Amino acid sequence: MSRFIRHCTGWRRLYSSVGASDIDHFKSILPPAAILSTVSPSALPSAELDPYNNDWMGKYHGSATTVLRPKTTQQVSDIVRWCASRNIAIVPQGGNTGLVGGSVPLHDELIVSLANMNTVRSFDPVSGILVADAGCILQSLTDYVAPHNHIMPIDLGAKGSCHIGGNVATNAGGLRLLRYGSLHGSVLGLEVVLPDGTILDQLTTLRKDNTGYDLKQLFIGAEGTLGIITAVSVLTPPSPQASNNVILALPHFDNVLPLYKTVKRQLSEILSAFEFIDRTAYDLAVKHGQGRALSDEDVDGAACFVLVETSGGRREHDEEKLTDLLTSLLEADSPLINTGVLSQNPAQFSSLWALREGVTEAVSKEGKAYKYDISIPLASFKDVVDATREHLRSKGLLGDHAVKHVLGYGHVGDGNLHLNIIAAAYTQEIQDALEPFVYELVASYRGSISAEHGIGAMKTHALHYSKNDVSIEWMKKIKALFDPLGIMNPGKVLE
Ligand code: FAD
Ligand code: 2HG
Ligand code: ZN
């Protein structure tokens, strides 16, 4: 059985569906338990594949008939080689926590899940360099390096499910980017199975290596369109000796920018996060049990909140700096903040973080979310949220029957706003009201339509709002060079 599907370069070309003879071949590569298929003779009920065919938000739905769960790089290579010979399209899948529809098929592509590739290959406690299979869950790697007094350079709300391979494939940002920079800097090496099955071994553990083109960078953020990442070498920083956090309640959004400047100046080297949630995001986090609510007195009159984290080498020194900061903020002639709630113990530290980290979870409990993950000038965060809300109001779409909330939160230090629109259901009418409106708004600030979540299936048509024609043309040339058959995650990143 075969069908046509749109190829990334605009040609229409043929992909094959997985058939019984393919399953027979996969049985020569993998043990039976690693093959989940609704194709006879394996014939599982299709509901068994639901967790792989549906994304985290319940927004994107594929109809793969087969999921393969290899354990070794060689098995991944054998699978891909076979798919290339048969023209079977592949979707690499990690923890399936992506928010742009990149991790599920558009049609019936084969899903290659990395979940069984979950072994740490090596860790050097002196250099802090960790080499791990791509399917290792981020939280389990954090737990692995913790006794060696190291942390992962990346942290995000999905850490209990997302894979390090998925993090690299999406170039995930998250909560520690302000301190440790992007994965383009922390990833030292990769092992990748290319779309013809070749294993590209660039799994070096070198801090410095200027031997020509740095090929691994191409796979960081390629969202599985250039190959399947099977292992990652990553530099893990030493654990800070002391971490503190505080939530600051602000009377106006306009105070966020001057506050950021003040906090940077006063905390300097110990500032490790500066995260923003607006009042709606805070209220939803509390409503859905993410962290402990602040007292009524603390939230009274607050238009938004900022979570500040410090990480440093000496507790007394850091606490003194933070206390001095709070005192100077509260005693200023025109205070930028109403109040500050400082964590006093590890449980309170986690609870304050949960108010910020848990917003995505809270949003998903509240309704169906349209998510725009944008880079814009910090001063415009509120304008963009307000303009979107007003636009929806003008279309008569605001209200419990359609759009329930429009909210903003995100990584101030990275200039990254998460604009979320929560609706009772996903509808074409809301979608049409939001797009291209939001993308045009972002383009008017010369911003990015994807700060950290990627393009996936969601934004292929909108790439031109942030990338010019020459850039897109060269992206297509690179795709065609690595994947001339177009079998690797088709319809993602590029149309
Ligand atoms: P998946 O969702 O499985 O896949 C994502 C993309 O990567 C797909 O295109 C897939 O094909 C590709 N892929 C996955 N594994 C591989 C591989 N081994 N080789 C090649 N391609 C692969 N993102 C942020 O950037 N910052 C955040 O703070 C953040 N917070 C989040 C909080 C929550 C609660 C949730 C649900 C998501 C959040 N995300 C965040 C989005 C998501 O968690 C990240 O994009 C994450 O990196 C995806 O990892 P994953 O293993 O789940 O990948
Ligand atoms: C975050 O920063 C994540 O919490 C998710 O990137 C953002 O859900 C979102 O829009
Ligand atoms: Zn984020």
Side-chain angles (χ1 to χ4, degrees):
M1 239 212 325
S2 303
R3 59 182 172 67
F4 285 93
I5 178 174
R6 207 170 140 73
H7 182 242
C8 67
T9 52
W11 312 324
R12 295 185 73 80
R13 63 174 302 119
L14 196 63
Y15 293 103
S16 305
S17 297
V18 174
S21 60
D22 300 307
I23 300 293
D24 279 345
H25 185 78
F26 294 142
K27 282 182 179 160
S28 71
I29 303 172
L30 298 170
I35 304 171
L36 309 180
S37 181
T38 59
V39 177
S40 56
S42 304
L44 288 172
S46 64
E48 297 272 328
L49 302 193
D50 283 355
Y52 302 90
N53 267 322
N54 300 299
D55 78 324
W56 190 87
M57 297 178 290
K59 186 176 183 192
Y60 296 93
H61 311 283
S63 43
T65 62
T66 304
V67 177
L68 302 181
R69 293 167 54 103
K71 179 90 191 136
T72 67
T73 304
Q74 190 56 53
Q75 288 172 344
V76 176
S77 163
D78 292 345
I79 292 164
V80 174
R81 203 175 292 283
W82 176 259
C83 289
S85 74
R86 287 267 301 112
N87 238 338
I88 293 172
I90 298 172
V91 177
Q93 192 175 87
N96 198 13
T97 67
L99 298 173
V100 289
S103 53
V104 296
L106 294 179
H107 301 281
D108 67 348
E109 298 89 301
L110 171 73
I111 295 176
V112 175
S113 163
L114 279 293
N116 280 342
M117 292 194 66
N118 53 8
T119 305
V120 170
R121 298 194 186 180
S122 65
F123 178 67
D124 177 349
V126 178
S127 64
I129 296 168
L130 172 77
V131 181
D133 280 353
C136 289
I137 290 175
L138 180 58
Q139 180 65 58
S140 61
L141 293 179
T142 301
D143 296 344
Y144 185 93
V145 298
H148 302 280
N149 294 317
H150 278 257
I151 59 169
M152 294 300 286
I154 176 173
D155 185 25
L156 54 152
K159 55 184 155 249
S161 310
C162 63
H163 296 180
I164 188 69
N167 299 150
V168 173
T170 54
N171 186 27
L175 308 164
R176 291 189 181 149
L177 192 133
L178 182 72
R179 166 60 69 91
Y180 299 111
S182 101
L183 287 172
H184 281 292
S186 324
V187 171
L188 302 180
L190 290 180
E191 179 187 82
V192 183
V193 172
L194 299 176
D196 66 354
T198 305
I199 298 170
L200 175 70
D201 180 354
Q202 292 227 323
L203 205 54
T204 66
T205 52
L206 307 171
R207 289 294 298 276
K208 299 178 87 173
D209 177 18
N210 276 355
T211 48
Y213 305 138
D214 191 359
L215 292 181
K216 70 168 184 294
Q217 298 295 352
L218 281 174
F219 302 94
I220 303 176
E223 301 179 55
T225 59
L226 299 180
I228 303 183
I229 299 166
T230 47
V232 176
S233 159
V234 62
L235 185 64
T236 69
S239 315
Q241 297 297 304
S243 291
N244 296 295
N245 64 6
V246 58
I247 282 207
L248 307 173
L250 285 73
H252 319 282
F253 174 81
D254 290 348
N255 289 4
V256 175
L257 224 158
L259 179 66
Y260 184 42
K261 267 174 73 180
T262 307
V263 168
K264 270 203 296 191
R265 196 184 57 243
Q266 290 204 31
L267 296 179
S268 58
E269 83 290 352
I270 63 167
L271 175 65
S272 54
F274 192 98
E275 295 281 319
F276 164 76
I277 55 177
D278 71 12
R279 182 61 193 253
T280 314
Y282 170 84
D283 289 340
L284 285 174
V286 170
K287 175 177 173 186
H288 293 288
Q290 309 292 319
R292 253 200 36 230
L294 309 181
S295 71
D296 288 350
E297 197 187 341
D298 285 329
V299 297
D300 193 28
C304 60
F305 301 83
V306 160
L307 185 147
V308 175
E309 185 196 63
T310 62
S311 302
R314 203 154 53 83
R315 180 165 298 281
E316 304 75 42
H317 165 267
D318 297 359
E319 278 173 2
E320 194 183 316
K321 270 189 137 176
L322 202 49
T323 315
D324 287 352
L325 169 73
L326 280 179
T327 311
S328 70
L329 284 172
L330 289 166
E331 289 178 357
D333 290 341
S334 342
L336 294 172
I337 61 168
N338 290 346
T339 54
V341 178
L342 190 61
S343 64
Q344 305 291 338
N345 54 48
Q348 285 176 11
F349 178 86
S350 305
S351 176
L352 291 190
W353 258 121
L355 287 168
R356 161 63 186 90
E357 262 186 285
V359 177
T360 298
E361 189 84 42
V363 163
S364 78
K365 289 182 174 155
E366 183 71 8
K368 295 294 180 191
Y370 294 85
K371 290 181 179 290
Y372 296 94
D373 156 45
I374 58 186
S375 281
I376 46 166
L378 167 56
S380 329
F381 275 23
K382 182 169 182 297
D383 294 345
V384 166
V385 177
D386 289 348
T388 306
R389 190 183 295 110
E390 285 318 306
H391 175 71
L392 290 166
R393 196 193 306 279
S394 74
K395 299 261 174 198
L397 287 170
L398 221 51
D400 273 352
H401 63 291
V403 172
K404 303 203 287 189
H405 309 280
V406 179
L407 57 141
Y409 56 107
H411 317 284
V412 168
D414 315 332
N416 178 187
L417 174 70
H418 295 305
L419 167 67
N420 278 218
I421 294 94
I422 310 179
Y426 291 122
T427 70
Q428 195 59 48
E429 201 184 7
I430 299 173
Q431 172 77 26
D432 292 346
L434 288 170
E435 294 180 21
F437 175 81
V438 173
Y439 296 135
E440 283 172 357
L441 198 56
V442 173
S444 73
Y445 292 106
R446 292 185 61 86
S448 167
I449 59 155
S450 174
E452 59 173 7
H453 295 165
I455 297 297
M458 176 187 171
K459 305 175 200 166
T460 52
H461 65 289
L463 204 51
H464 64 277
Y465 286 103
S466 296
K467 283 261 188 296
N468 58 36
D469 289 350
V470 176
S471 307
I472 294 175
E473 186 191 328
W474 278 90
M475 282 169 66
K476 286 182 176 169
K477 285 183 184 171
I478 289 170
K479 168 71 175 172
L481 179 67
F482 278 89
D483 185 17
L485 299 172
I487 60 167
M488 208 44 89
N489 217 358
K492 313 293 170 57
V493 182
L494 293 163
E495 281 186 307

